[in-house]
Amino acid sequence: MEIPLPDPEARTAALERLDALVKPLGALGRLEELAAWLCAAHGQVPPKPLDDVRVVVFAGDHGVSSVSAYPREVTAAMVRVFLAGKSGVNVLAGQVGAKVRVVDIAVDADLSDVPEDVRAFKIRRGSGSIDVEDALAPGEARAAFDAGRAIADAEIADGADLLIPGDMGIGNTTPAAALVAATLGLPAADVVGTGTGIDEAGRERKISVVSHALARYAQAKDGTDPFDLLTALGSACAAATAGFLVQGAARGVPVLLDGVFSGAAAVVAREIAPDAVRWWLAGHRSTEPSQAFALKALGLEPILDLGLRLGEGSGAVQAVPTLRAARAVIADMGLLADLA
């Protein structure tokens, strides 16, 4: 898949302007790095305003949800909470003027009472338990990936300046850990965290599930096709998120990753479109260990570290004001040469 590259000349021009502002060299630290990144992404100095931020929450259930502290019925209930505007990401996105959309990719429930646009891309109900069977049927990973691409295209066509992938699905940190472990060649114990707040005994059960899933995948697959990986160890939501990330990059629109789930989707998406990572930023550092491995592999440094583990896109939206501040610095600060 062809991915455009950010503009290196715009980045160079941005760095020159940043050095010429009324401040010591490098005094605004990470804000300067982000300002130059945005200039390269937009191909101009200063970069365009980030006025239209879109969060898309990919909702689905997982066959390994028994390792979670919450029952899978919560996923369907949360879809209705998103639609009511009462979720964590709804509230936090509202503070920065971001719009939130929820999409039922694989919720294991009848949601025929919710709006059609929520259900339009549904791939299946739930997924297989990855320790004993594939998560998806043949062809479903590609169908979900294409759905994610179509959703990104729709948001961009409607004016999105910045895309944020969100997630909702009880048990989704388990396939996320499995995807990161399989992609990066890591043992289960290194990538498995406490998810929604399970105790140490629960974490040990989760490690066992991921270990069995990795062993099953290693025996059945040659490990070279990312869609095989998504089929065996992922979920329709992970595949759709990967498509969303890749299509944002293909369209030249910056993507702000959220936590563990989007990080896992990103390491797989990079296998599909290696240059897509040039269009991604990491919004925040999750408390889940697999995200740290994913971001290190992707070469991304989180903008914020607030100890968040909610998901939904909630951490990434908190980084939007920082990106806007970075743009304001390069757009509005005066130049040393203009001092009287």
Side-chain angles (χ1 to χ4, degrees):
M1 184 178 299
E2 185 174 352
I3 304 292
L5 298 180
D7 187 341
E9 294 182 0
R11 175 177 172 77
T12 298
L15 292 172
E16 291 174 353
R17 179 172 175 81
L18 288 162
D19 285 349
L21 297 178
V22 286
K23 60 173 182 60
L25 290 176
L28 287 174
R30 189 75 191 280
L31 289 180
E32 298 188 32
E33 296 175 16
L34 293 171
W37 190 95
L38 287 170
C39 288
H42 291 166
Q44 65 181 59
V45 181
K48 295 180 287 187
L50 298 174
D51 292 333
D52 195 333
V53 179
R54 307 291 181 99
V55 182
V56 176
V57 180
F58 295 92
D61 284 298
H62 305 275
V64 291
S65 60
S66 61
V67 300
S68 174
Y70 295 90
R72 68 166 56 195
E73 289 78 12
V74 170
T75 305
M78 282 300 302
V79 169
R80 295 183 171 88
V81 175
F82 291 123
L83 292 172
K86 296 296 185 179
S87 74
V89 73
N90 288 126
V91 172
L92 295 172
Q95 296 301 302
V96 301
K99 301 171 185 175
V100 178
R101 174 185 179 185
V102 61
V103 183
D104 173 9
I105 297 292
V107 178
D108 190 12
D110 178 6
L111 294 179
S112 56
D113 59 318
V114 305
E116 170 61 26
D117 66 323
V118 176
R119 298 177 282 115
F121 294 97
K122 187 155 188 166
I123 301 298
R124 57 180 287 156
R125 286 182 56 159
S127 63
S129 186
I130 60 173
D131 53 336
V132 296
E133 62 182 332
D134 282 354
L136 303 175
E140 288 181 337
R142 286 189 180 271
F145 182 83
D146 290 341
R149 294 181 64 192
I151 291 165
D153 275 336
E155 296 301 317
I156 293 166
D158 199 40
D161 300 313
L162 179 69
L163 297 175
I164 295 175
D167 61 273
M168 179 62 226
I170 298 303
N172 68 8
T173 60
T174 301
L179 289 173
V180 171
T183 304
L184 303 182
L186 299 168
D190 285 2
V191 296
V192 170
T194 58
T196 48
I198 56 176
D199 59 17
E200 186 55 32
R203 180 175 174 272
E204 290 298 325
R205 290 192 297 272
K206 192 171 172 181
I207 290 172
S208 177
V209 167
V210 174
S211 295
H212 281 90
L214 293 173
R216 186 184 62 78
Y217 174 68
Q219 291 176 352
K221 309 292 182 182
D222 64 12
T224 60
D225 188 331
F227 288 100
D228 284 348
L229 176 60
L230 288 165
T231 297
L233 300 181
S235 66
C237 294
T241 302
F244 185 79
L245 301 181
V246 167
Q247 194 63 14
R251 295 290 300 275
V253 175
V255 180
L256 192 56
L257 303 181
D258 188 44
V260 58
F261 196 75
S262 59
V267 295
V268 181
R270 186 183 61 167
E271 298 296 306
I272 299 169
D275 284 332
V277 69
R278 297 172 181 263
W279 294 92
W280 306 337
L281 293 170
H284 78 114
R285 186 181 303 282
S286 167
T287 61
E288 283 290 299
S290 68
Q291 192 225 24
F293 286 107
L295 295 186
K296 182 178 180 180
L298 295 167
L300 300 178
E301 181 68 24
I303 296 172
L304 301 176
D305 186 351
L306 301 175
L308 303 182
R309 56 182 176 85
L310 176 61
E312 304 178 4
S314 60
V317 296
Q318 298 309 291
V320 172
T322 302
L323 291 180
R324 288 174 174 161
R327 182 199 175 272
V329 163
I330 198 167
D332 299 332
M333 278 185 71
L335 299 173
L336 286 167
D338 295 334
L339 292 177

